[in-house]
Amino acid sequence: MSIDLTLDLINATVQVEQPLPGGARTVGTGFLVSDPTPDGRPRVVLVTAEHVFEQMPGDKATIGYRTIGPDGVWHFAPQKIRIRQGGRELWTHHPSRDVAVIAVEAPPAFAKAAIPVGWLADDAAFDQQGLQPGDTMMALGFPQGLSANSAGFPILRSGRVASYPLGPATQFPTFLLDFRVFPGNSGGPIWLEQTRQLAGESAPEPVVAGILTQEVELDHENLGIGIVTDARFVRETLADLDHAAAEPLAPGTQVAASYGTQASAKQP
């Protein structure tokens, strides 16, 4: 496993939440992608699952940014953003898949930490990497709202690819990962533990395979299997962002995500 890649994804992954009546809260996961606008201007986008935003009743959500002080100590530094305006959704969602994106004005350290859009797997990536059932993938998230520490860093876990075939995404838009999913994991990035170096590359290109969107549950029992939506649909949703008529976000505001209802044993 590439330690540098793992740290890059840890730094780009954030806890997202919204308070609920009665003192409860809904918590989930999102990650930041550097996706320049068509005219080349820098832009940071938060990627998560569509149900994350849908199940937030309020107009504002909180994203758990982290800051490091002059003394080298990390601090949890959450900020709010508006996700609805007058009842209108401010995020962009995929027309058929559980994927949503929204542009954010991230703090400078997080804007720098956003992963390149080129890390998102395209249609050829799985074949190029020779991805097979049993290969290990890594996952980041906040199971049951739990962070790795008081600074709000995500928890790193792993699982093995548990389904076949793995493409094409137009026929098999999701695949299964053998690890237990909890509320709070939804929207987190899933990536290959090891990537092979392709011809012409100076170093192996990281491959973010998709995002965790559901768990497999049968007769109210968690089967310990996650459903991952292929990164192709994240790319498509990012492309739609340029055509969406969303309100511009005020500087310094952020975005959030949440975990929604549990999946059944059926593919979404």
Side-chain angles (χ1 to χ4, degrees):
M1 177 176 60
S2 168
I3 299 300
D4 289 343
L5 171 59
T6 299
L7 291 179
D8 285 341
L9 281 157
I10 286 174
N11 287 327
T13 300
V14 289
Q15 177 175 303
V16 287
E17 65 178 307
Q18 188 179 86
L20 299 174
R25 62 185 182 129
T26 179
V27 181
T29 305
F31 63 100
L32 301 180
V33 174
S34 176
D35 178 40
T37 61
D39 62 3
R41 288 181 292 114
R43 177 174 60 185
V44 176
V45 179
L46 182 113
V47 176
T48 189
E50 154 90 300
H51 70 257
V52 167
F53 293 129
E54 284 185 332
Q55 297 194 357
M56 287 184 167
D59 289 346
K60 292 184 178 180
T62 302
I63 185 167
Y65 287 121
R66 306 171 290 268
T67 61
I68 187 167
D71 56 358
V73 176
W74 284 96
H75 302 278
F76 188 55
Q79 297 184 23
K80 291 185 181 296
I81 111 163
R82 182 174 292 278
I83 60 172
R84 293 183 182 86
Q85 181 73 49
R88 182 168 68 88
E89 299 171 353
L90 300 182
W91 66 86
T92 298
H93 64 87
H94 193 276
S96 62
R97 292 291 135 200
D98 191 6
V99 178
V101 302
I102 186 169
V104 297
E105 291 289 339
F110 269 86
K112 184 178 180 180
I115 65 170
V117 68
W119 287 10
L120 297 170
D122 59 18
D123 287 341
F126 286 6
D127 288 337
Q128 292 172 340
Q129 292 298 323
L131 188 63
Q132 299 289 337
D135 286 351
T136 300
M137 289 194 176
M138 310 305 294
L140 284 167
F142 299 88
Q144 298 288 12
L146 183 66
S147 301
N149 44 50
S150 60
F153 280 92
I155 294 174
L156 177 67
R157 297 166 65 204
S158 66
R160 293 188 180 274
V161 176
S163 58
Y164 180 84
L166 299 172
T170 50
Q171 183 178 4
F172 301 102
T174 63
F175 62 89
L176 303 181
L177 198 64
D178 181 21
F179 86 120
R180 190 169 184 183
V181 178
F182 296 91
N185 283 128
S186 200
I190 306 294
W191 72 97
L192 275 66
E193 179 184 36
Q194 295 181 335
T195 55
R196 64 177 60 178
Q197 186 169 340
L198 303 178
E201 288 183 342
S202 58
E205 181 76 5
V207 177
V208 176
I211 65 171
L212 195 286
T213 50
Q214 292 177 297
E215 68 178 340
V216 177
E217 185 183 66
L218 183 62
D219 296 331
H220 305 291
E221 181 181 1
N222 186 327
L223 300 186
I225 302 172
I227 298 178
V228 181
T229 295
D230 194 288
R232 170 196 176 110
F233 304 104
V234 178
R235 284 179 171 270
E236 290 180 356
T237 312
L238 289 169
D240 287 343
L241 180 62
D242 295 317
H243 306 293
E247 289 286 341
L249 299 177
T253 57
Q254 331 285 309
V255 137
S258 75
Y259 183 92
T261 55
Q262 296 175 335
S264 70
K266 297 179 180 179
Q267 290 284 355

